[in-house]
């Protein structure tokens, strides 16, 4: 093998090595980008989980309040019926 052929082979190997190194560098950069995206998604997911828990708590409180209001409305309705029956009874005795 002549010096020229050896030099050409060395140049070709060096170029191949440079391309492989560039691909490796690009792969590392892509991995870094994907890891940052993954971390942002993790943060967003945790934020959504906390928000969901907060909303679930608020919903439970609102449902409990609605139940109390419904129970109160039912009690008021029952008392109104009792009062109307009492008034009717008094009026019927007065006649």
């Amino acid at each position: 093998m002549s010096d020229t052929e050896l030099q050409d082979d060395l140049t070709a190997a060096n170029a191949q090595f440079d391309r492989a190194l560039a691909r490796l560098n690009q792969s590392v950069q892509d991995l870094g980008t994907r890891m940052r995206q993954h971390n942002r998604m993790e943060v967003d997911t945790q934020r959504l989980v906390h928000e969901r828990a907060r909303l679930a708590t608020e919903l439970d409180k609102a449902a409990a309040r609605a139940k109390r209001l419904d129970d109160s409305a039912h009690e008021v309705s029952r008392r109104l019926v009792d009062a109307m029956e009492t008034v009717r009874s008094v009026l019927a005795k007065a006649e």
Side-chain angles (χ1 to χ4, degrees):
M1 185 178 263
S2 71
D3 284 343
T4 304
E5 291 174 333
L6 186 60
Q7 186 65 30
D8 289 344
D9 287 347
L10 193 56
T11 301
N14 193 28
Q16 186 177 4
F17 177 76
D18 287 343
R19 287 190 303 272
L21 197 56
R23 285 193 312 267
L24 177 61
N25 187 36
Q26 185 62 50
S27 293
V28 168
Q29 288 177 359
D30 292 345
L31 178 60
T33 299
R34 287 193 306 271
M35 288 176 69
R36 284 188 298 279
Q37 289 171 342
H38 177 75
N39 288 339
R40 280 192 298 266
M41 285 189 290
E42 275 295 319
V43 168
D44 289 344
T45 300
Q46 288 302 317
R47 194 172 320 142
L48 289 172
V49 166
H50 291 319
E51 181 70 6
R52 183 197 172 282
R54 185 185 65 77
L55 290 172
T57 299
E58 287 182 21
L59 179 61
D60 289 345
K61 288 177 183 178
R65 184 168 187 266
K67 172 84 169 84
R68 286 192 310 273
L69 289 172
D70 189 48
D71 291 347
S72 296
H74 181 69
E75 180 63 20
V76 167
S77 177
R78 186 190 65 75
R79 288 181 182 189
L80 280 173
V81 169
D82 288 347
M84 289 187 308
E85 288 175 359
T86 302
V87 169
R88 282 189 191 120
S89 174
V90 169
L91 289 175
K93 288 180 186 177
E95 292 179 350

